[in-house]
């Protein structure tokens, strides 16, 4: 079992990673993005004052995927 964190989980690459890791039911997947949502295993990030340390507080991840970015 892997504990996986995907930052930028609502984008093109992040959502594909999320689907891939969630397809193996033994993985525990935590998603994070700036999109406001209310669902289990999701953490909203404030885009003006991102606090990435909060993502790791009291949590231990085996894998962290940073799929953040801007398409500007």
């Amino acid at each position: 079992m892997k504990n996986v964190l995907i930052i930028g989980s609502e984008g093109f690459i992040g959502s594909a990673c999320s689907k891939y890791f969630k397809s193996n039911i033994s993985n525990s997947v935590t998603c994070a993005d700036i999109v406001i949502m209310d669902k289990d295993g999701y953490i909203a990030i404030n885009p003006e004052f991102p606090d990435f340390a909060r993502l790791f507080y009291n949590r231990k991840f085996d894998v962290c995927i940073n799929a953040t970015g801007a398409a500007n």
Side-chain angles (χ1 to χ4, degrees), residues 29-50:
V29 181
T30 302
C31 297
D33 208 316
I34 61 173
V35 179
I36 304 297
M37 284 192 222
D38 185 25
K39 64 181 182 180
D40 290 336
Y42 182 81
I43 301 169
I45 299 172
N46 182 340
E48 293 180 17
F49 303 103

Side-chain angles (χ1 to χ4, degrees), residues 47-64:
E48 293 180 17
F49 303 103
D51 183 9
F52 294 105
R54 181 176 67 99
L55 297 175
F56 298 95
Y57 186 74
N58 286 334
R59 296 180 186 96
K60 183 177 184 325
F61 298 104
D62 299 307
V63 177
C64 177

Side-chain angles (χ1 to χ4, degrees), residues 1-4 21 26-29 62-63:
M1 177 174 155
K2 298 270 186 205
N3 289 321
V4 181
F21 284 104
S26 67
N27 290 328
S28 172
V29 181
D62 299 307
V63 177

